[in-house]
Amino acid sequence: MLDDKEGTRMVIGNVIRSSRKRKNMTQEEMADRLGVTASAVNKWEKGNSFPDITLLAPIARLLEISLEELLSFREELTADEIHELIREADQKFKAESYEEVFQWARKKIEEYPNCEELRLNLAVLLDAQRILQNISMEEGNIESCGFEEDRYEKYICSLYLRGLESGKEDLRYRAADSLVGFYMRKGRYEEAEKYLSYYSIQNPERKRKQARIYSETGRTEEAYKAYEELLFSDYQRVNSEIHGMYLLAMKNGDSKKARTYAEKEAECAHCFEMGRYYEVSCKLELAILEQNSEEVLSIMKEMMESVGEIGSFRNAFLYQHMDLKEIRSEFLAELKENLRSSFRDEETFGFLKEDVRWQELVKKEK
């Protein structure tokens, strides 16, 4: 295994060799311009020795690279370079031991100490392979941090913690997410919970993981409530997405597809226990477009009958731990009258004008 000094010589040697070849220069030509022997250049490129410090600037000028590049002081890698290193690490796991790849990864992280993306990606890969290969604590390598933890775990955890200091929000989130998973696998839920604060309030994963932690730590009521809040939010999202596809089908004049989406909206409302009003109202627009009198009248009747229970989901089995705001009776009465008024619109419902059932539905209550 290479030590730090040997590794650095190899890196600098590779830079010199690749830069020289890029300029179509032989070792002899380079040696002649620098006033050294070709053997010296050969030793640099093979990593057997360092160039003399007084030659660093002339070498950089000759090869038209910066001193930072010559000495491999690169703070960042390109996305392609990071991807290639991760791919290389993945291939190494198929041919080498965990310890060998672990040491290789450490060297790469030390070589590019400020490349946060590389550091976090390698940490995730090392962590995943440690689990897949069932790498357990090594005898003689156990260190104590208030609990027994092998040196692999300690190093991986330190990389995640460094990720929390990133100036990039997405990297901080990914590091926090990895730490939450790291501690949850160990059953250390209080520590896992600490890192949830790095998640955005809008991120549903924060509540989902919080619910799991509540469940694992005996806070049953809080767990139910968190899951129910997620479910209620999921209904709003799923319904909105299905309705968006329904509108797209309508825009393209595909009534058959639109009807299927309307049926899915109804099924979604039923599945999420949103109440009869939401199950039937989503089908009204298409029935009107098709001027299906029987279906329109049936939907109108069910909407009028169920509008007073539009908040019935408050008492649904799925949301029994949520504290949902009660809908005032005055609001429901006003909503029903507004609905009745909209049904009177002759431009929309004119094809029902002679139907006594429509007349009965839209007449004002005394």
Side-chain angles (χ1 to χ4, degrees), residues 16-54:
I16 292 174
R17 183 175 61 254
S18 60
S19 299
R20 175 181 60 77
K21 287 184 175 181
R22 189 175 63 246
K23 290 183 65 62
N24 296 315
M25 187 186 301
T26 66
Q27 289 184 344
E28 289 75 12
E29 288 172 331
M30 181 174 178
D32 185 58
R33 296 188 191 187
L34 292 171
V36 298
T37 65
S39 174
V41 175
N42 184 263
K43 288 180 180 178
W44 299 341
E45 293 188 356
K46 288 185 175 180
N48 293 329
S49 66
F50 284 115
D52 187 276
I53 191 169
T54 60

Side-chain angles (χ1 to χ4, degrees), residues 235-284:
Y235 166 73
Q236 307 294 334
R237 177 181 58 80
V238 172
N239 183 71
S240 175
E241 290 162 1
I242 295 175
H243 190 69
M245 290 188 285
Y246 161 82
L247 292 174
L248 187 59
M250 291 286 283
K251 182 178 180 181
N252 292 327
D254 192 338
S255 59
K256 184 177 179 181
K257 184 176 283 188
R259 178 165 290 280
T260 300
Y261 285 131
E263 293 289 347
K264 295 298 181 185
E265 278 193 70
E267 291 171 16
C268 182
H270 178 73
C271 178
F272 282 85
E273 297 189 53
M274 297 308 295
R276 188 61 184 164
Y277 182 87
Y278 293 101
E279 292 177 33
V280 298
S281 59
C282 55
K283 302 176 184 178
L284 181 62

Side-chain angles (χ1 to χ4, degrees), residues 197-255:
S197 62
Y198 286 87
Y199 291 62
S200 165
I201 293 293
Q202 289 76 33
N203 188 342
E205 279 303 305
R206 175 173 181 162
K207 190 176 287 286
R208 195 166 287 116
K209 285 183 168 59
Q210 181 69 76
R212 167 83 187 284
I213 291 171
Y214 282 150
S215 176
E216 295 291 348
T217 53
R219 290 174 280 180
T220 305
E221 291 297 309
E222 291 95 329
Y224 271 126
K225 183 178 180 181
Y227 280 127
E228 289 173 8
E229 288 172 348
L230 280 167
L231 198 62
F232 193 77
S233 177
D234 285 343
Y235 166 73
Q236 307 294 334
R237 177 181 58 80
V238 172
N239 183 71
S240 175
E241 290 162 1
I242 295 175
H243 190 69
M245 290 188 285
Y246 161 82
L247 292 174
L248 187 59
M250 291 286 283
K251 182 178 180 181
N252 292 327
D254 192 338
S255 59

Side-chain angles (χ1 to χ4, degrees), residues 10-276:
M10 289 296 294
V11 170
I12 293 175
N14 288 336
V15 171
I16 292 174
R17 183 175 61 254
S18 60
S19 299
R20 175 181 60 77
K21 287 184 175 181
R22 189 175 63 246
K23 290 183 65 62
N24 296 315
M25 187 186 301
T26 66
Q27 289 184 344
E28 289 75 12
E29 288 172 331
M30 181 174 178
D32 185 58
R33 296 188 191 187
L34 292 171
V36 298
T37 65
S39 174
V41 175
N42 184 263
K43 288 180 180 178
W44 299 341
E45 293 188 356
K46 288 185 175 180
N48 293 329
S49 66
F50 284 115
D52 187 276
I53 191 169
T54 60
L55 288 173
L56 293 179
I59 290 172
R61 285 195 294 270
L62 177 61
L63 298 177
E64 296 182 348
I65 59 177
S66 66
L67 273 174
E68 287 81 3
E69 187 175 353
L70 174 62
L71 299 175
S72 300
F73 289 160
R74 296 180 62 191
E75 293 193 356
E76 285 294 345
L77 295 167
T78 66
D80 286 342
E81 287 172 328
I82 293 170
H83 176 77
E84 183 58 30
L85 285 170
I86 298 302
R87 190 196 66 78
E88 184 179 350
D90 196 45
Q91 290 300 312
K92 281 179 173 292
F93 273 119
K94 297 175 182 177
E96 302 176 25
S97 70
Y98 186 88
E99 172 67 17
E100 289 173 315
V101 185
F102 178 80
Q103 293 299 337
W104 176 87
R106 288 192 71 156
K107 292 291 184 187
K108 289 300 175 185
I109 290 169
E110 289 165 4
E111 187 176 336
Y112 305 105
N114 296 317
C115 188
E116 299 174 328
E117 188 77 36
L118 176 67
R119 184 169 65 232
L120 186 56
N121 281 326
L122 283 175
V124 171
L125 184 59
L126 288 170
D127 202 5
Q129 285 291 334
R130 185 182 60 83
I131 296 167
L132 285 172
Q133 297 185 32
N134 195 26
I135 303 295
S136 57
M137 289 186 292
E138 303 170 302
E139 291 186 17
N141 283 315
I142 298 173
E143 301 183 42
S144 176
C145 286
F147 62 101
E148 289 189 335
E149 180 176 54
D150 69 44
R151 64 191 178 92
Y152 295 140
E153 286 191 344
K154 185 178 179 183
Y155 180 68
I156 291 167
C157 187
S158 73
L159 297 180
Y160 289 153
L161 288 169
R162 287 174 66 185
L164 296 179
E165 300 169 1
S166 173
K168 300 176 182 177
E169 184 179 2
D170 66 313
L171 285 177
R172 291 198 303 274
Y173 163 68
R174 286 167 53 199
D177 191 54
S178 296
L179 281 164
V180 170
F182 180 88
Y183 284 115
M184 286 181 73
R185 289 193 300 272
K186 298 175 76 67
R188 298 174 60 192
Y189 299 107
E190 286 187 7
E191 288 180 72
E193 193 169 6
K194 287 191 309 185
Y195 298 106
L196 292 180
S197 62
Y198 286 87
Y199 291 62
S200 165
I201 293 293
Q202 289 76 33
N203 188 342
E205 279 303 305
R206 175 173 181 162
K207 190 176 287 286
R208 195 166 287 116
K209 285 183 168 59
Q210 181 69 76
R212 167 83 187 284
I213 291 171
Y214 282 150
S215 176
E216 295 291 348
T217 53
R219 290 174 280 180
T220 305
E221 291 297 309
E222 291 95 329
Y224 271 126
K225 183 178 180 181
Y227 280 127
E228 289 173 8
E229 288 172 348
L230 280 167
L231 198 62
F232 193 77
S233 177
D234 285 343
Y235 166 73
Q236 307 294 334
R237 177 181 58 80
V238 172
N239 183 71
S240 175
E241 290 162 1
I242 295 175
H243 190 69
M245 290 188 285
Y246 161 82
L247 292 174
L248 187 59
M250 291 286 283
K251 182 178 180 181
N252 292 327
D254 192 338
S255 59
K256 184 177 179 181
K257 184 176 283 188
R259 178 165 290 280
T260 300
Y261 285 131
E263 293 289 347
K264 295 298 181 185
E265 278 193 70
E267 291 171 16
C268 182
H270 178 73
C271 178
F272 282 85
E273 297 189 53
M274 297 308 295
R276 188 61 184 164

